[in-house]
Amino acid sequence: MTDPATSLSVGLTQAEADARLAAEGFNELPKARRRSPLQIVFEVLREPMLALLLAGGAVYLLLGNREEALVLLGFACLSVGITVVQEARTERVLEALRDLTSPRALVIRDGTRKRIAGRDVVRGDVIVLAEGDRVPADAALIQAQDLSADESLLTGEAVPVRKVAGAATMSRPGGEDQPMVYSGSLIVRGTGLACVTATGAASEIGRIGTSLDQLKTETPHLQRQMRKLVIIFAAVGAAVSGTVVVLYGLLRGGWLDGVLAGIAVGMSMLPEEFPMVLAVFMAMGAWRISKVRVLTRRASAIETLGAASVLCTDKTGTLTENRMTIVELRLADGTAAKGGAALPEVFRELAAAGVMASAADPFDPMEKAFHALSTADLRDGETLPGAGRQLARSYSVSPQLLAMSQAWEADPGWQIAAKGAPEAVADLCRMDAATLAELTAQVDQMAGDGLRVLGVAEASHNGTLPDDPRDFQFRFLGLVGLADPLRASVPDAVAQCRSAGIRVIMITGDYPATAQTIAAEAGLQGDRVITGPDLALMTDAKLATAVRDVTIFARIMPEQKLRIVTALKSTGAVVAMTGDGVNDAPSLKAAHIGIAMGGRGTDVAREAASIVLLDDDFGSIVTTVRLGRRIYDNLRKAMSFILAVHIPIAGLALMPLLFGMPILFGPMHIAFLEMVIDPVCSLVFEAETEEDDAMRRKPRPPTEPLFSGPTIVWSLVQGALVLAVTATIFVLAPDFGLTTDQVRGMTFAALVFAIVALILVDRSRSSSILMAFTRPNRALAVVLPLVGAVLAVTLFWPPARDLFGFAALDPAHLAVPPLAGVTVLVALEVLKPIWHWAVRRDNGGREALPSGKGVTR
C-alpha cells in the first residue's frame, strides 16, 4: 500500500487479510488446549459410579464369574463412552462460545467498515477506534480526535493516556516516534484510526505473557445446589452400602456376595446423573441460545432467565431499527420542509451545519442521515455551504452538555457547527424564556409524531479556540426531525412479555414525547414519563415507589440507569437490563441479567454483561427468555425423573436384604438401568421443546430451589408407585409357580417398562399422554427402540439371559411387564391433573411445576 490516503480509506482487501491470517495465525494469545478424549477418559475414571462398576467386576472375578465380570466391565466401558461423547460435545460447544466472546473489532476492508472477531484481525488492518472499544492488537495511530486510552493492563497506571496522531503513513507504520495503541488497552474517550503492527503473541501484551480470558467462569446457584445434593446422597448411600455389606456377611455368611450387594445398593442410591445433566443442560442451553444470535457469557444467566420479571430496554436500535432518516427540517421561524424532496434554498444552511457538526466519515446512524441529506436532497451540480474545509477541533457530547460541536477552518477564523438535544442547543444559544417556550412547543409537536428531534446551531469565531463550546456565540438555525421505524417484531414480543408476567420498561435518552409515541406503537402500557431531571430530584425511596408503575424513562443519562436498576431490585424484581456504552457497564453488572448490544455495543458493556445480543433486536431478548424457561423446565423434568427412578431401583435392591428374600438385582442389573437413565436424562429431556404456556405464566421466584417441595413430592409419588407395582410382581410371582430366575427377569422387565412410562409422563406435567406421543423428540425416537432391543436380547437370547440370571418366561408371563408399565402410565395420568390443580391452588395460581397443553415448534 503506497498511497497512504487511498490505503486509509480502503484498508486491506479480504484476500490480503486471508493470506496474512494463514501466514501469521490468529490474533490470540496462547491458551489452554481443549481436553482430548483421552484426558476426558482419565477424568471420568475418577467418578464414583465408575469406581463401583469396576469394583463389582473385580469381585465377580474373585468369585469366578468371568462372564458377569466381563459384562459389568463392558457396561463400565459403555458408561465411559457415553460420558466422553457428552463431555466432548460440551467442550466443542464451550470452544465455540469462547470464540464468540472474543473482543470484536471494527476494521476497514475493501473500503467497507465491518465488525469481525478480534482473533481475525491481521497485521496491516486499519482498525476504527471509538469510546468503549478494547484495542484488539498493537497498532500505529493514524488519525485521532480527542483520543484517550486506559493502558493500566500494561503499565499499572490508572490515568488514561492522551493519544495524538503523528505524521503516520500506511506504508511504514510503527516508526520510532509513531504514537501507538496497544492490544488490551481500553479507549475511554474520542475516536481514531490505526494500522495494526503486531498481533497475538507478537504484541506487547503477548510478550509480557498476560492472558485475557473473556469467558468468565463462576459457580452458578444451580451448581451449588447440585453439589449439596450429591454430597447428601453419597453420604447416605455410603452408609447404607456399608450396613448392607456388614449385615449380609453376618446374617448370610457370604462376605464377597455381601460386597456385591453393597455395591448394587450404592449404585442404586447414587444419583451420579445430577452433575452430568446440569453440565450438559447448561452447555447445550448456551448453544441453543447462540443459535438465535444471542451469546450467553455466564451460565448463571440461563438459570436466571426464567425468573426475570422486569426487562429494561433502550429505544434506538433495540425497539427500533437504528436506521435513521431525516424526514423534517424546521427553521427557527417555524418554516418546515419534508425530507426526501429537493431541498429549498432557505434550508441549505441548516443542512450544512448538521453535516459540519457530524463526523467526516460517520458511523452513527444519525450522522449518516445528515450526510445522506447533503447528497440525496440536492439538485445536480449543487453543493452545501462549507464544503472542502478542514476540521480543527471537535467538542464531544458530555453529561453536562448533550450536544456535539465541531470547529472548522474559515477565512478568517473558524466556523463552528453544533447539533444535539434541543434544550442543550438552546442553552448554547442563550435563548430567553419566551423563545425557549416557543421552541419547546415545536419540539413537542415533532416528537409527538414519533420523530427524534435535534437542534442545530452555528457560530463564527476569531482567535484561539476555547476549551468550552459555551464560549462561542451560537446562532440557532432550526430543528431536524429523524425517524427510526419500530422493528416489526417488537409489538408481538412486548405482548409475549406481558402474557409472561414480565414488565417492559423503556429507558431512553430521547425526548419524552418521542419516547411516548414509540412506546405506544410498541404496545407499552402507561402514560407517565419520568425524565432525567425529574429522576435527579427524586430520593431513592421515592424512585423505588415510582418504578412500580412507570414504564417510560426519557432523557436519561447512562449513569442514571444504575439508580433505576437499584430501585427495581429493591422492590423484589428480577431485572434484565440492556446497554451498549461504557457508562452502561455499572447498571449491566448491577442487573440480575445484563444484556449488551453485540452490534453497536462497546467491549466494556459486553464484558460487564452476562448476555450479548448479536443482532441488537428486542425480539431476540424475548426469544432468549422463552428458551431460558424451556431449559429450566426441561432441567427440572430431568432432575425429577432421576429422583423418581432411583426410588424403585434402591427399594428393589434393599427389599431382599430387609425381608430375607432372594437377591433380586446385582451390580450388572443396576448398570444396565443406568445405561437407560443416563441418555434419557441428558439427551431426551434436553431435546424437549418448550411447553405451550411457557410465555403465559408468571416468572418463578428467583429463590425457588430446583428441587422445590412440590417437585420432590411429585417425584416421590412417581417413584413410590413404580416401586409398589414392581414390588407387587416380585412378591406375588412365586405364588404362580415362577422360579427365582423367572421372577428376577419379570421384575426387571417390569421396572424397565415402568421407567419408560415415567419418561412419557415427565415429558409434560399437565398435558395428556396423547399430546406427549405427538410431540417431536428425535432423541426419544432413538433411545426407546434401543432400550427395547437391548431388553429383548436379555430376555430372549439364552447367553445374555444366563448372564443376567434370568429364565425363559411363558407368553402369559411376558404380558406382565408391559401391563405394569401401562398401569404406571394410566395411574400417573389420572393423578397428574389432580396434582396440577393442587399445586396451582397452593401457590396462588402460579405454576410451581413446568406445565403446558402442548408445544410450539
Side-chain angles (χ1 to χ4, degrees), residues 65-279:
N65 299 331
R66 185 167 53 186
E67 292 82 1
E68 286 85 347
L70 292 177
V71 170
L72 204 59
L73 294 175
F75 277 130
C77 293
L78 185 58
S79 177
V80 171
I82 291 174
T83 307
V84 168
V85 169
Q86 291 167 336
E87 289 282 340
R89 188 183 185 191
T90 302
E91 283 285 312
R92 288 195 299 271
V93 168
L94 292 177
E95 187 69 23
L97 293 176
R98 289 189 190 102
D99 291 343
L100 284 174
T101 56
S102 68
R104 311 293 289 174
L106 183 62
V107 301
I108 300 177
R109 287 187 182 171
D110 295 314
T112 304
R113 293 187 178 193
K114 60 194 311 187
R115 282 207 178 270
I116 63 173
R119 68 194 302 265
D120 294 332
V121 171
V122 299
R123 185 175 52 82
D125 258 328
V126 178
I127 55 176
V128 182
L129 303 173
E131 180 180 328
D133 289 344
R134 195 169 289 283
V135 181
D138 290 1
L141 200 59
I142 301 167
Q143 289 183 1
Q145 293 183 8
D146 195 21
L147 189 71
S148 296
D150 178 358
E151 298 179 347
S152 57
L153 192 67
L154 291 167
T155 65
E157 294 292 334
V159 179
V161 180
R162 183 173 175 80
K163 300 289 183 177
V164 180
T169 66
M170 288 290 296
S171 56
R172 297 186 61 188
E176 184 175 340
D177 298 325
Q178 181 75 43
M180 299 286 293
V181 288
Y182 298 99
S183 176
S185 59
L186 179 67
I187 304 300
V188 296
R189 185 175 180 181
T191 60
L193 293 178
C195 181
V196 174
T197 59
T199 62
S203 65
E204 286 295 323
I205 198 171
R207 284 196 286 268
I208 294 174
T210 306
S211 176
L212 291 176
D213 185 3
Q214 298 295 336
L215 188 62
K216 301 179 187 296
T217 57
E218 58 183 57
T219 304
H221 177 62
L222 284 180
Q223 191 171 327
R224 293 195 298 271
Q225 287 189 61
M226 212 57 59
R227 287 176 180 173
K228 292 180 181 178
L229 282 172
V230 171
I231 291 173
I232 292 172
F233 275 99
V236 173
V240 174
S241 297
T243 303
V244 166
V245 173
V246 172
L247 291 177
Y248 197 103
L250 293 176
L251 300 177
R252 302 197 181 192
W255 287 96
L256 284 178
D257 288 332
V259 171
L260 283 177
I263 290 174
V265 171
M267 291 172 63
S268 68
M269 298 188 68
L270 182 64
E272 48 86 27
E273 300 90 356
F274 282 163
M276 177 197 69
V277 166
L278 181 62

Side-chain angles (χ1 to χ4, degrees), residues 456-738:
V456 180
E458 65 88 26
S460 297
H461 185 78
N462 292 317
T464 305
L465 291 173
D467 292 330
D468 192 334
R470 291 184 178 87
D471 294 335
F472 295 116
Q473 298 296 318
F474 278 104
R475 177 172 62 91
F476 185 73
L477 296 179
L479 300 171
V480 177
L482 299 99
D484 185 9
L486 191 74
R487 290 181 185 266
S489 62
V490 167
D492 179 63
V494 171
Q496 289 186 54
C497 286
R498 189 181 301 114
S499 68
I502 301 173
R503 285 181 59 210
V504 179
I505 295 177
M506 177 198 294
I507 303 176
T508 179
D510 216 338
Y511 201 72
T514 304
Q516 283 182 297
T517 301
I518 295 297
E521 293 178 8
L524 296 180
Q525 298 176 333
D527 298 326
R528 184 184 173 191
V529 179
I530 292 180
T531 65
D534 294 337
L535 191 148
L537 298 176
M538 287 184 173
T539 63
D540 290 343
K542 188 174 181 180
L543 180 60
T545 302
V547 296
R548 293 180 182 274
D549 53 17
V550 174
T551 56
I552 305 173
F553 291 82
R555 280 293 187 253
I556 297 297
M557 299 300 298
E559 54 268 24
Q560 290 180 314
K561 289 184 178 182
L562 179 59
R563 285 196 65 197
I564 297 174
V565 170
T566 304
L568 286 167
K569 290 172 67 176
S570 70
T571 66
V574 178
V575 184
M577 162 69 76
T578 67
D580 56 9
V582 176
N583 292 333
D584 289 335
S587 59
L588 290 175
K589 279 194 172 183
H592 297 98
I593 309 170
I595 304 173
M597 302 296 109
R600 69 181 190 276
T602 61
D603 283 332
V604 176
R606 284 191 287 269
E607 290 171 14
S610 50
I611 288 177
V612 178
L613 298 185
L614 300 181
D615 56 6
D616 296 0
D617 188 355
F618 178 79
S620 297
I621 304 176
V622 180
T623 302
T624 304
V625 172
R626 178 189 292 273
L627 284 172
R629 291 190 173 193
R630 164 188 166 174
I631 293 164
Y632 193 87
D633 283 357
N634 289 344
L635 179 61
R636 176 169 281 182
K637 292 174 186 177
M639 296 301 181
S640 178
F641 170 79
I642 293 171
L643 183 58
V645 82
H646 275 276
I647 293 172
I649 294 176
L652 292 173
L654 282 171
M655 271 184 62
L657 300 173
L658 296 176
F659 300 105
M661 304 167 72
I663 296 298
L664 184 61
F665 294 154
M668 188 164 55
H669 303 94
I670 306 297
F672 176 91
L673 294 173
E674 292 294 337
M675 294 305 102
V676 175
I677 298 169
D678 284 359
V680 166
C681 295
S682 59
L683 299 177
V684 173
F685 284 116
E686 194 282 326
E688 279 293 317
T689 48
E690 77 263 15
E691 302 286 352
D692 190 44
D693 71 341
M695 296 298 285
R696 292 205 305 269
R697 60 177 186 259
K698 296 180 181 179
R700 61 179 175 82
T703 56
E704 181 179 271
L706 183 64
F707 278 105
S708 61
T711 302
I712 294 175
V713 173
W714 180 240
S715 297
L716 292 176
V717 168
Q718 294 182 87
L721 180 61
V722 173
L723 178 59
V725 171
T726 52
T728 299
I729 295 172
F730 177 46
V731 173
L732 298 181
D735 295 340
F736 291 86
L738 275 71

Side-chain angles (χ1 to χ4, degrees), residues 328-335 350 420-448 453-457 475-481 511-513 555:
E328 183 177 348
L329 297 96
R330 186 171 297 203
L331 300 178
D333 61 5
T335 305
L350 172 60
E423 63 269 26
V425 175
D427 181 43
L428 288 176
C429 297
R430 301 177 178 86
M431 285 187 180
D432 56 43
T435 307
L436 181 59
E438 186 177 333
L439 174 67
T440 302
Q442 294 185 38
V443 171
D444 286 340
Q445 182 182 349
M446 296 174 68
V453 186
L454 297 179
V456 180
R475 177 172 62 91
F476 185 73
L477 296 179
L479 300 171
V480 177
Y511 201 72
R555 280 293 187 253

